[in-house]
Amino acid sequence: MLKALRVRASQGTQYITDLRKAVPHGFRGRPRISTTPCKEGCDACVKACPTDAIALAPFRLDLGTCVFCAECVEACPEGKLAFTADPRMGAATREALVVTEGPDRIDPVLTSRSLASVFGRSLRLRQVSAGGCNGCELELNALSNVNFDLQRYGIEWVASPRHADALVVTGPLTKNMADAVRLAWDAMPDPRFLVAFGACAISGGLYADAPGVDRSFFAEVTPVLYVPGSPPHPLTFVHAILDLLGIE
Amino acid sequence: MSAARLLLVPLDAAPELTVTEWRIALERLLRDDDGRVVTLFGTPNDERITITAVVEQGGSELRALRTVVERDVGYHALTPEFPALHCFERELHEQHGVRIAGHPWLKPVRFEVTGSKGRDAYPFYEIEGKEVHEVAVGPIHAGVIEPGSFRFMCLGERVHHLEIHLGYQHRGVEKLLLARDPRSLAPLVETIAGDTSIAHTWAYAAAIEALAGMAVPHEIDAARGAMLELERIAMHLAGLAGLAADVGFLQGASSYGRLRTTAINTSMRLCGSRFGRGAIRPGGSGTTLGAGPDLAEATNGAFTSTDLLRNLKLLSDDVAIIDDRFSSARTVQHRLRGVGAVPSALAREIGLVGLAARASGVPCDLRTRAGGVYEHHPIEACVEPDGDCWARARIRIAEIRRSLAWLSSVADAHPRWEAARPRIGALAPRQLVVAMTEGWRGEVVHALETDGGGGLARYKVQDPSFRNWLGLALAVRENEISDFPICNKSFDLSYCGSDL
């Protein structure tokens, strides 16, 4: 009993009071691209990027393929790119994941009125890993630990797709999981929606050209929410899902 | 001597043995000379396959034995005499089609060639009898975890046999590793097993440095060692949190869980990622201590050795309190003691590595025999005799303590770490390099072969999970099926690291 009380005392208060205001110090998050012109003919960042996330003239960085390795920052002779600790990067469309030059503007994910009215007070998620490296899986698990405590919003993980409202896919989608992902999706009752969590799920990421990958499921079902990162920070998911469901 | 275990062999000077010589040499090393196979893999060359066996002798010396076989002729399996080789021979057969006569069960390890249709050709073992029933689990599991298929053959509640069927996570890592400049593979290597990013990337970096003839400064070596221990502490805490949750001991689940947050957030302050992404690059480091990371200044004050030591002290103090509660709770002991035991002799026979082996009384820990940072800051292996779930929990508890003390001494001796990205020169042609690190699960092995132009001809990746999955299958025999989650969590093996 005494030992249990000692644990309780050492535990203190662990939950993050306001997830919307929390800053993940040190996190390599949302990139900022200055308007400094590139050196004539320089494509060092494009060459350094392992996932072809950067396009030039005009400068565009696709957060859906970026793995936040910062090789571009290392390669750029002009210091044009920098990563900030801002976790707010989720988007409801693939296009909204593209970051351009100039002053950064955070577009919150647009609230879906239809999803908000059905799931705004209770959302059940089923996760399926299809080639994920356990980075995304651990961050999704972290959402239900005592720090992030996502359940406070009525959002919880469930074991069966039959009980789920949304399917959260991690990993580039392997050939050997293609059938199982379809089965899980087909088992979910309407209304339902798909979330792509992490660069691998959004675009294939580092595995876009891998021989064991089959992304045809994403051609059939379009995600309603994209959560970038490799792996995404739990707060990136929190902001995105709360915005989508119109939760303050 | 380097902090990663290394073997560098110039291929043109390496003797190519006949299959018979190779076999005799290997048998002698394994049977008489206290040797063990570290890895065994094939390198294709048209219809002929070069087989490389890397053997560790007497717990220290590494040797490579190479032979060439015709794909269709192959050789006679070594598995019946040395069961630890079963997974290597299955992989050799699957990846290169080498005929291996006399292997008891050449079931593909990943179904990477045949895909899901190939599974039909290898149905699960069946047991006949009135009392027998089968339980199928997976590939999707009831939790936020990776996929794999388990088939339990049960007599009542008792598991008679478990067959583990993997490959669902197969992406084709080894082929992808050959597609880019070998010097810029770090981001990909970091995702081979994303919870073991540091151990894998360190092995990769050490291999490239050996091929480029580079030595890394002490500071970088120390920073890598520190990041590896942070990874170990974080994942051991995750393992203990999971075990606590699986036995319904919720105070343990929440306490170990939030302490893991402190550990991974410390990693994030040092390298920008909670999983050590970007921390290690060939020849260099992306880890900084004492100077602000190269991120937006507004949100990142400098993280100094004082901050690091404060976090380590907080972890030490609070981990000790929950350890005391967890270890003395009767409910925990009752669920974990004597469950899922792997006796020491069996662990050696099937070639278990890492924490699972140490929990079964096998004192194998690469850090105890490595140079570099481990020369100045030695670390001892933690060993438990019983091989059950309790022993695997105890190893984690002991290793967290030891790693925290080790980290503190390194942070004291090296209060400032700078990021560095030196240019890597051309890689030496026609070399075999094997680099090994002790990840939190066990030894991570990367074997690279360069061709005549210094490009890569072969990249063999081996996560400790590849060898340890059989340990889990054997651990649950004669246990109650309801104890499977505990057994599984106590091994905590990687699916993607094994499936590649």
Side-chain angles (χ1 to χ4, degrees):
Chain A
M1 184 64 196
L2 222 51
K3 284 178 182 173
L5 288 173
R6 280 187 73 208
V7 173
R8 185 64 199 87
S10 81
Q11 182 86 345
T13 304
Q14 289 294 330
Y15 76 94
I16 302 166
T17 354
D18 189 347
L19 289 174
R20 289 290 206 172
K21 292 206 179 106
V23 178
H25 291 289
F27 177 57
R28 197 158 50 242
R30 189 174 184 85
R32 194 163 53 202
I33 302 157
S34 77
T35 47
T36 318
C38 295
K39 256 190 190 163
E40 186 70 30
C42 176
D43 62 350
C45 58
V46 176
K47 284 201 180 117
C49 179
T51 55
D52 299 326
I54 300 172
L56 299 176
F59 196 102
R60 294 155 60 85
L61 172 56
D62 179 6
L63 296 181
T65 45
C66 179
V67 291
F68 298 79
C69 63
E71 296 293 313
C72 51
V73 177
E74 197 65 39
C76 179
E78 303 295 322
K80 193 175 170 65
L81 295 121
F83 284 88
T84 73
D86 198 326
R88 289 170 295 173
M89 291 183 279
T93 62
R94 196 62 188 78
E95 298 71 40
L97 290 170
V98 176
V99 177
T100 52
E101 280 181 357
D104 199 24
R105 36 165 244 282
I106 311 283
D107 298 325
V109 176
L110 288 181
T111 301
S112 156
R113 280 172 180 274
S114 57
L115 292 178
S117 69
V118 186
F119 301 125
R121 295 171 66 183
S122 163
L123 178 72
R124 295 292 177 267
L125 306 169
R126 168 68 239 198
Q127 182 267 357
V128 171
S129 169
C133 71
N134 207 24
C136 287
E137 292 74 6
L138 282 166
E139 289 299 45
L140 288 172
N141 270 312
L143 283 164
S144 14
N145 71 16
V146 290
N147 308 108
F148 294 102
D149 182 29
L150 194 65
Q151 295 94 320
R152 70 178 90 173
Y153 297 108
I155 303 173
E156 280 185 71
W157 300 105
V158 290
S160 169
R162 290 265 189 240
H163 304 154
D165 308 312
L167 182 67
V168 182
V169 172
T170 57
L173 236 167
T174 55
K175 285 180 184 164
N176 287 351
M177 273 302 282
D179 292 346
V181 169
R182 278 203 180 80
L183 278 172
W185 177 253
D186 290 345
M188 288 169 59
D190 278 324
R192 60 186 171 170
F193 65 95
L194 180 65
V195 178
F197 188 86
C200 289
I202 297 172
S203 65
L206 289 156
Y207 296 94
D209 305 321
V213 165
D214 170 5
R215 294 182 52 77
S216 56
F217 173 73
F218 284 112
E220 294 158 27
V221 186
T222 308
V224 163
L225 195 60
Y226 299 91
V227 187
S230 184
H233 194 283
L235 288 172
T236 306
F237 183 80
V238 169
H239 282 287
I241 198 83
L242 296 190
D243 285 349
L244 182 75
L245 299 180
I247 300 171
E248 286 301 312
Chain B
M1 207 161 83
S2 98
R5 293 290 310 284
L6 273 176
L7 171 70
L8 187 65
V9 183
L11 289 178
D12 293 326
E16 191 178 285
L17 307 172
T18 66
V19 178
T20 316
E21 289 167 349
W22 179 77
R23 189 188 182 86
I24 290 170
L26 202 53
E27 282 174 345
R28 201 188 55 232
L29 279 169
L30 298 185
R31 203 185 297 129
D32 311 326
D33 294 338
D34 192 23
R36 68 175 189 101
V37 166
V38 167
T39 184
L40 189 152
F41 61 91
T43 306
N45 186 5
D46 295 329
E47 280 310 291
R48 290 150 63 84
I49 309 291
T50 302
I51 306 176
T52 306
V54 179
V55 181
E56 187 185 46
Q57 209 182 336
S60 59
E61 194 199 344
L62 289 173
R63 291 180 58 180
L65 301 173
R66 284 163 70 90
T67 186
V68 178
V69 298
E70 301 282 335
R71 198 189 298 261
D72 302 335
V73 178
Y75 70 99
H76 200 274
L78 289 155
T79 298
E81 193 180 353
F82 306 106
L85 300 184
H86 82 102
C87 50
F88 299 117
E89 293 194 324
R90 283 169 60 189
E91 185 187 57
L92 191 63
H93 178 68
E94 177 176 10
Q95 287 189 333
H96 307 293
V98 175
R99 186 167 168 268
I100 302 176
H103 189 287
W105 185 223
L106 274 176
K107 176 176 166 175
V109 280
R110 321 195 160 90
F111 296 91
E112 63 177 87
V113 183
T114 55
S116 50
K117 286 184 189 69
R119 275 175 242 154
D120 302 339
Y122 291 89
F124 290 104
Y125 265 115
E126 281 179 12
I127 298 175
E128 286 175 11
K130 257 189 177 171
E131 307 281 314
V132 176
H133 70 104
E134 290 185 11
V135 179
V137 176
I140 298 177
H141 299 161
V144 182
I145 49 170
E146 296 179 64
S149 238
F150 301 115
R151 183 67 59 94
F152 299 88
M153 270 30 104
C154 301
L155 300 167
E157 288 296 298
R158 200 163 290 268
V159 178
H160 188 67
H161 176 70
L162 161 63
E163 191 170 340
I164 300 173
H165 182 107
L166 300 176
Y168 297 94
Q169 295 284 70
H170 176 69
R171 299 151 286 175
V173 167
E174 289 184 354
K175 287 203 180 86
L176 269 191
L177 287 167
L178 298 181
R180 284 182 75 95
D181 183 333
R183 293 165 296 184
S184 51
L185 297 173
L188 184 59
V189 171
E190 284 171 345
T191 63
I192 290 170
D195 52 26
T196 316
S197 291
I198 298 289
H200 274 284
T201 314
W202 194 357
Y204 155 70
I208 295 296
E209 287 150 13
L211 289 170
M214 290 176 87
V216 291
H218 286 311
E219 297 299 312
I220 287 182
D221 207 35
R224 289 176 178 181
M227 294 306 290
L228 184 68
E229 294 318 305
L230 276 172
E231 182 171 83
R232 184 183 327 276
I233 292 164
M235 288 311 297
H236 280 2
L237 287 168
L240 289 168
L243 272 174
D246 281 350
V247 300
F249 187 69
L250 298 185
Q251 208 170 25
S254 64
S255 262
Y256 284 126
R258 65 98 180 174
L259 290 164
R260 171 177 172 266
T261 305
T262 303
I264 58 179
N265 282 353
T266 305
S267 291
M268 181 163 72
R269 293 305 303 262
L270 293 165
C271 74
S273 156
R274 293 177 11 130
F275 295 84
R277 307 281 165 94
I280 297 177
R281 290 294 179 264
S285 161
T287 313
T288 49
L289 178 68
D294 193 14
L295 303 169
E297 310 74 24
T299 48
N300 287 284
F303 189 70
T304 64
S305 65
T306 317
D307 300 321
L308 175 59
L309 288 166
R310 191 193 53 233
N311 282 9
L312 295 176
K313 167 118 182 34
L314 184 149
L315 281 170
S316 296
D317 291 351
D318 287 9
V319 164
I321 294 171
I322 182 64
D323 280 351
D324 186 28
R325 170 92 174 99
F326 180 83
S327 306
S328 59
R330 266 190 301 179
T331 158
V332 174
Q333 294 197 30
H334 182 75
R335 289 300 308 279
L336 299 185
R337 272 191 200 273
V339 171
V342 179
S344 194
L346 181 62
R348 285 176 199 272
E349 190 183 0
I350 62 172
L352 282 193
V353 293
L355 98 85
R358 294 194 288 277
S360 290
V362 183
C364 57
D365 188 329
L366 294 171
R367 296 172 299 166
T368 61
R369 321 194 275 283
V373 64
Y374 302 111
E375 230 164 322
H376 306 287
H377 304 274
I379 194 158
E380 276 176 59
C382 299
V383 181
E384 288 276 334
D386 293 337
D388 54 5
C389 291
W390 176 247
R392 288 185 285 276
R394 299 289 301 166
I395 290 277
R396 286 179 169 88
I397 288 171
E399 289 189 350
I400 289 169
R401 277 186 206 163
R402 207 160 276 183
S403 294
L404 284 168
W406 189 88
L407 263 172
S408 299
S409 82
V410 169
D412 271 333
H414 301 274
R416 224 182 141 78
W417 311 340
E418 306 271 355
R421 289 296 294 274
R423 267 187 67 82
I424 313 287
L427 307 184
R430 299 278 304 145
Q431 304 283 318
L432 163 71
V433 60
V434 181
M436 300 154 74
T437 55
E438 187 73 27
W440 64 272
R441 285 190 188 92
E443 66 185 23
V444 166
V445 186
H446 284 221
L448 286 70
E449 277 181 47
T450 49
D451 58 23
L456 288 187
R458 180 77 167 106
Y459 198 137
K460 176 81 210 106
V461 178
Q462 189 178 306
D463 189 85
S465 311
F466 182 63
R467 311 190 71 169
N468 283 4
W469 276 110
L470 182 64
L472 171 63
L474 297 180
V476 299
R477 285 188 176 181
E478 304 312 315
N479 281 254
E480 284 183 28
I481 190 168
S482 51
D483 282 338
F484 172 71
I486 308 171
C487 295
N488 191 22
K489 195 71 214 174
S490 73
F491 278 87
D492 204 359
L493 301 176
S494 171
Y495 299 80
C496 59
S498 189
D499 289 348
L500 296 177

